[in-house]
Amino acid sequence: MGGTQDSGTEHIRRAKGGRGGLGNVMSGIAVAIGFVLFLGGFVWGAFVYQPYTVPTDSMMPTVKPGDRVLAQRIDGGEVRRGDVVIFTDAMWSDSPMVKRVVGIGGDTVKCCGQGGRLTVNGKELDEPYIEHTPKPEPGAEGTAAGIPGAASNTPFEVAVPEGNLFLLGDRRSASLDSRAHLQEAGQGTVARSTVQARVDALAWPSMSMLERPGTYAALPGGTSRPGPLRLQLAAVAAGAALVVLGAAYGPLARVLGRGRRETRAGAR
């Protein structure tokens, strides 16, 4: 009697083409976990990040006009030197702007030091991310303008007020940044509260993370840490893989089961 019942159960499982049993349960769990990871990664990303289209060429070569970037929503108090931030200041523009933070409250930012480099609190910065200014015309005046490849063609020295930021574009020869507002209150600095987000990655036309400049790491406060974008992308990728693998189990089990039955039938 027991043998007959076992044979009947096995026959039912075969008739289902391999579906059911432990394999079917595991595939269902994999699909469920995959959906959670996939959708959770997207929801998490939408909550933490905001997309932004770069409107001008002032941040070349780091980002170009029309590039789509992902910016982490942060509080202005989280900003560190070297961060590329999105901010809105009524004295500059009614629209959001993207610039790099080179000085924070209490810093003295000056250009240019020896070799035409920007200095923060007397420390010369190595800025591989900037588009260097062209060689000046003969007879150009000013300390900065007289040095080929200087970090700025406008010499300046600014003491950044507490709670404010000094911002420059990476394309120093064409960026309307803090240097264009030196004669205004705050000497071209903006309040930390104007910052809406920090750019973490380039999303289009290619996908790449924005590196934190090492030149700021030795200064007090160091550089900021990247946001959770890599973890979010990993969750989305892992979720998609689990959904595909779990959904493929049933058809794959049927094909393999059919192949085994045909092999047994041929052997007879």
Side-chain angles (χ1 to χ4, degrees):
M1 177 79 81
T4 302
Q5 184 175 0
D6 291 343
S7 298
T9 302
E10 182 179 357
H11 177 74
I12 292 173
R13 287 179 177 174
R14 287 179 179 177
K16 289 182 179 180
R19 291 173 293 172
L22 181 60
N24 191 44
V25 172
M26 295 302 293
S27 69
I29 292 175
V31 170
I33 293 175
F35 270 119
V36 170
L37 287 174
F38 186 79
L39 295 177
F42 269 114
V43 172
W44 185 15
F47 179 76
V48 175
Y49 287 93
Q50 69 180 61
Y52 178 76
T53 301
V54 179
T56 69
D57 62 358
S58 68
M59 282 298 295
M60 290 178 61
T62 304
V63 288
K64 303 175 179 62
D67 282 356
R68 195 78 166 165
V69 299
L70 293 177
Q72 182 184 4
R73 294 181 174 92
I74 62 168
D75 181 83
E78 301 176 58
V79 175
R80 298 290 182 271
R81 302 178 192 88
D83 287 344
V84 176
V85 298
I86 296 172
F87 68 100
T88 303
D89 186 275
M91 296 294 292
W92 290 39
S93 172
D94 292 331
S95 302
M97 303 183 71
V98 54
K99 303 292 180 187
R100 188 182 297 274
V101 177
V102 298
I104 61 176
D107 286 346
T108 297
V109 184
K110 182 180 179 180
C111 194
C112 290
Q114 186 176 2
R117 291 185 176 184
L118 197 70
T119 67
V120 175
N121 303 330
K123 181 184 183 299
E124 290 194 353
L125 302 182
D126 178 20
E127 299 185 280
Y129 47 79
I130 71 172
E131 180 183 82
H132 289 289
T133 57
K135 186 174 181 178
E137 296 294 329
E141 299 179 356
T143 304
I147 302 174
S152 173
N153 53 15
T154 302
F156 60 86
E157 182 172 355
V158 173
V160 184
E162 290 294 339
N164 282 24
L165 305 168
F166 192 82
L167 304 123
L168 298 177
D170 287 355
R171 193 179 191 189
R172 302 284 164 80
S173 62
S175 175
L176 293 176
D177 45 40
S178 288
R179 297 170 298 171
H181 302 271
L182 293 173
Q183 306 306 316
E184 299 171 5
Q187 289 187 280
T189 63
V190 300
R192 283 180 175 269
S193 59
T194 64
V195 174
Q196 303 161 15
R198 175 173 53 217
V199 178
D200 231 11
L202 176 64
W204 189 90
S206 62
M207 183 69 185
S208 61
M209 301 294 294
L210 252 64
E211 299 297 328
R212 267 53 175 178
T215 191
Y216 297 95
L219 293 170
T223 55
S224 63
R225 302 186 65 178
L229 182 59
R230 282 193 174 96
L231 185 58
Q232 292 165 352
L233 293 175
V236 170
L242 285 173
V243 169
V244 171
L245 292 174
Y249 170 78
L252 183 61
R254 285 196 296 271
V255 171
L256 294 176
R258 188 181 303 115
R260 285 195 295 268
R261 290 195 298 272
E262 292 174 352
T263 300
R264 292 194 191 102
R268 292 173 187 171

